[in-house]
Amino acid sequence: MRKYKRKLIISLSVRTFPWLTAPFIGTKSFVRFLPVATFANLFIIVFTVILYGYQYIVEKVIGQTNDSQSRLQALKANLQKRPSNS
């Protein structure tokens, strides 16, 4: 539980401290860089989603590959258990 609290504090501080510097950069600079910052955030959001979709597809393919390998191994085991006709 203590480790979780430490991670939570670090996470919140990483999100909070940059906003504490906003008053020091001035209104003109803030307004100047706001569109770029907004675009960068939007780009990142549209990106961690493409990545999640790609990872979902990869996991699905890996699952299908594992299933087919399991079925192949089961088939081999069944064939080895059968008595030969010779």
Side-chain angles (χ1 to χ4, degrees), residues 31-62:
V31 172
R32 178 179 174 200
F33 293 112
L34 186 63
V36 174
T38 305
F39 174 75
N41 286 322
L42 181 65
F43 182 78
I44 290 170
I45 290 169
V46 171
F47 189 53
T48 321
V49 172
I50 294 170
L51 287 178
Y52 280 121
Y54 179 75
Q55 184 64 34
Y56 176 77
I57 291 169
V58 168
E59 292 290 330
K60 202 172 184 181
V61 169
I62 289 172

Side-chain angles (χ1 to χ4, degrees), residues 66-80:
N66 289 341
D67 289 344
S68 63
Q69 287 177 353
S70 299
R71 281 187 253 140
L72 181 61
Q73 289 174 352
L75 182 61
K76 285 181 182 178
N78 286 337
L79 289 175
Q80 289 175 354

Side-chain angles (χ1 to χ4, degrees), residues 14-27:
V14 166
R15 294 178 188 185
T16 305
F17 285 140
W19 284 103
L20 296 176
T21 62
F24 298 113
I25 63 172
T27 307

